[in-house]
Amino acid sequence: MSIVLADHRYGKAENRVVRFRRDTARHEIVDLNVTTTLRGDFADAYLSGDQSKVLPTDTQKNTVYAYAKEKGVATVEGYALDLARHFVDDVEPVSGARVDVEAYPWTRAQVGGNEHDHTWIRSGAEVRTAAATVSDGDGRQVVHVLAGLKDLTLLKSTGSQFKGFLTDAYTTLPETDDRVMATSLVATWRYGAAALADGFDFDAAYATIREALIEQFATLHSLALQQTLWHMGRSALERVPEAAEIRLLAPNKHHFDYDLARFGTDNHGEVFHAADRPYGLIQAVVANDVFPAAPEAWA
Amino acid sequence: MSIVLADHRYGKAENRVVRFRRDTARHEIVDLNVTTTLRGDFADAYLSGDQSKVLPTDTQKNTVYAYAKEKGVATVEGYALDLARHFVDDVEPVSGARVDVEAYPWTRAQVGGNEHDHTWIRSGAEVRTAAATVSDGDGRQVVHVLAGLKDLTLLKSTGSQFKGFLTDAYTTLPETDDRVMATSLVATWRYGAAALADGFDFDAAYATIREALIEQFATLHSLALQQTLWHMGRSALERVPEAAEIRLLAPNKHHFDYDLARFGTDNHGEVFHAADRPYGLIQAVVANDVFPAAPEAWA
Amino acid sequence: MSIVLADHRYGKAENRVVRFRRDTARHEIVDLNVTTTLRGDFADAYLSGDQSKVLPTDTQKNTVYAYAKEKGVATVEGYALDLARHFVDDVEPVSGARVDVEAYPWTRAQVGGNEHDHTWIRSGAEVRTAAATVSDGDGRQVVHVLAGLKDLTLLKSTGSQFKGFLTDAYTTLPETDDRVMATSLVATWRYGAAALADGFDFDAAYATIREALIEQFATLHSLALQQTLWHMGRSALERVPEAAEIRLLAPNKHHFDYDLARFGTDNHGEVFHAADRPYGLIQAVVANDVFPAAPEAWA
Amino acid sequence: MSIVLADHRYGKAENRVVRFRRDTARHEIVDLNVTTTLRGDFADAYLSGDQSKVLPTDTQKNTVYAYAKEKGVATVEGYALDLARHFVDDVEPVSGARVDVEAYPWTRAQVGGNEHDHTWIRSGAEVRTAAATVSDGDGRQVVHVLAGLKDLTLLKSTGSQFKGFLTDAYTTLPETDDRVMATSLVATWRYGAAALADGFDFDAAYATIREALIEQFATLHSLALQQTLWHMGRSALERVPEAAEIRLLAPNKHHFDYDLARFGTDNHGEVFHAADRPYGLIQAVVANDVFPAAPEAWA
């Protein structure tokens, strides 16, 4: 047998960067969690302990903070792309870089009915995500940008059923015409080349896809979470033609009718127990087939 | 020596009750985490294992869910009070009950610019809290209601300084005229007797205090988080005279200027590292002295 | 009405101190999470923003780390006491200090059957705790030391029943002669004055009480978790006469028999679903009545 | 444009199965977290809402619990494989199944120096993992088994350096000859075909690889975490020739020397601050090249 180093990568995870714009009295906030991952000519660091081609993860951290000022964070996607390009272009042993960003939402505090200039409230568990991947290919660079959201928790109190399913010897679930449907959505979409040209509005595209996801969840009469996901993904891609594909990961957060008949009380879909575990986990990849597939964008 | 049972209590923690109102096509949602704690004549359960006076925690759970329908949840404070009174009034060995409620916020989904009738989005880490305590006293019942919020994360990018502090041999902190101040506030207030009369609007009082806390945090030029807390608490009690006291617990979530001068870049309060631990922890109890103290309300 | 500052305190929470002893090739590790809380003459910091009596929490942090070397950490209780005494004795405005310590357990790595000199493995979620409180009283200092453990997860697969309990209209729980009993124990005990004299072996006392708690949980045929807690607490105090009281907080981590009869399969206490929430929460305070009560030790 | 369903899968996540063997008075415990994921002919469930080929996730849950009795859990790998094979063999629309298992460690309680028959203590954050994948291929089934561990937290107080690394304009890290190295290891290895034959001892192989990982971490003088990982992976594969490859994911949990010189105190690698974030994240895939690659085993 021969034991070999088959693959490797390294980086700095969870740099908590907070960036303010203070050009006027009305400040702006961007609150980020940034992770860098580098690929390249680092085998000697593993095999012989030679670190001469290894850019320390501490340096990557410094760069993450410095770029928040030197390049700025006009959009999270652009900032991730600037960083990924820097590592590949400026650090010789690096042949590929991925920069992942989570952005936490803040809302301006209200004072006397007006938005305050320099005070904010954290507004929700929902997180906006972005990832840029830059790789040296055959004489040219390959660039991918992902965007998305996670922990978008949605719930509908009616308009959802589940019946006509396959049964076997282990099936005990009753059919239902009316149930609570809830999920904590993770959605990630990949932009095609057109979005990487100057001037594409990542923030507007994000808002449009988020709205599409929510509207489909709300308005579609659901025959299953699977069907809901398909319509969510399809609507997102229809509204933003620069998006090549969208991946949806949706826990089915079960809400169980509490049996109040035992106490002589009716419960017409009014009182539920919200369970933690287990949960269904439904996944779908929806693609706009005018774009080529790009599995490397997701590695 | 003589070993004795000096105190005891028991209950059911973290009942996850979701309650919908479906009287019209426009549903309402209340999403709760409910904990019951009973005191009373339960020593035999400990000392001899005799359970004949012990109402099972499973029964407490059933009651929590049943009351969400039978009594309803007009306000979280009222619901907690109904439950606490039930245990003391209706279960003979129980001499005292505390019911703690956390309420999770949901916002209606927007569809085409309109609020949806039966779909919601979880809106934030912030949690509303309430606790009702009912105890048999000397021939009469003593009732206390606490209300509050937790995980209200506030941040201001300027308007905060910290200087003129005490120093000793271990002091290395530089003074600052302009820093980021951030906290994840826990505020709990106790209502006086007037609020327990019928018709008191707990929801309006909650909104008023929350607004007072946020406005003071935003607008006061802060000389220290201590001073900010005092003004937050004072303003809360001034605006809601039915509140007897307020307890504030505020982690000082440190944001450190990132030293970019090492890379030839200025950083005028624009790029920060948000640290996890350690954090300052500042506490204050602010009281309206027309009310008697009630330490037993907080036990 | 008159709004007043009724109480206040402040400190630095969750200082993550790791201390090695490297006097010989066989190193020793102590891994701590330390929180300081000071009381004293700090009202002006709140009321007028005057910080001249406020020792910064950053200074408290520095002191926590410095004392790990200057005084050392012979025992976690002694280290907490050194720190608390320092703040009260050496910092003029401080009239009371509490220092809380969590200690994380590590086990030496085994290499070729032998313990390694300088490599360890984190051994368990269980945490050892200690807290020292020092307060200026009437002309003399009052000192209290608490010790304990948390997240000690215990489970027994038989030897536990629950029946003969009180029932009401909301009771549906069946009685059981044989159930799984599991808890994630929090135990905290207070030492009397004798333990504060030089030479008391806190580590031996800790080990003795931990053993007592585990042995009682294991060997007592349980009629209820309440009864188990009483015997655990009593045994702990009997074995360590320097301990004045012990407080036990025990979630009843429910394990539900999975109904396999629906699939034609017997389940004689063999397959369970381990539920997350809700859980019973049982509490007991057991005291050795040769000691005076000391509620201030727990504030 | 044409929007298409490009991929999909679904299952039940985090079934918390606790299984006892009670054949003799000395019981045995297996404590699992089981997740099922199915692939197959489910497109109609998404596209038209037709659920007739969808085995409910609730049924998958029932099967997970039932198999813990009907097939038993002789090894976690075998149990995962039994379940995965069942879904593919017995449920017509299923063409591929993956079953992931986490196993939580318990140690027998000691009573009077002896192991107790039916009481255990949770022993550590460390988790053993296993995953079985069964897929219909061209006329034959493809089977893969992964095994591993996560949250194995290792620390060494010396025997680790980091110097001679690449520098650029953003590099400020000083070189070091002696540092603390700590990680919370995730290791996952894939077994080759020989391990899937009857009689292979998964438990022994697990213990051997775990020992190899720990011994290399402890004994290798580390020039970087990268080098340490390579030696850990190589040793694992050398000792268990049935393992085809191993993937290592290692956060570099930074411990920073606390600067005590400011207080006139020496600190020779004795007092550290354990930081939470950011952390280095080092990854390696080490392979035994007598085995063919199998990227589908990791999907």
Side-chain angles (χ1 to χ4, degrees), chain C residues 36 57-59 63-64 101 130 137 155 162 167 189-190 198 277 285:
Chain C
T36 61
T57 66
D58 186 79
T59 301
T63 311
V64 162
V101 181
L155 180 148
F162 188 55
T167 61
W189 53 92
R190 174 171 60 90
D198 278 353
R277 295 190 293 183
V285 181

Side-chain angles (χ1 to χ4, degrees), chain A residues 77-123:
Chain A
E77 291 85 356
Y79 167 72
L81 205 42
D82 284 341
L83 276 167
R85 282 189 169 127
H86 160 70
F87 290 121
V88 174
D89 291 346
D90 302 341
V91 183
E92 203 283 326
V94 176
S95 61
R98 174 168 172 149
V99 176
D100 283 272
V101 181
E102 297 182 346
Y104 305 119
W106 293 85
T107 305
R108 283 185 191 279
Q110 297 282 326
V111 176
N114 299 311
E115 293 188 339
H116 197 264
D117 272 351
H118 60 255
T119 305
W120 297 266
I121 302 174
R122 263 291 293 274
S123 50

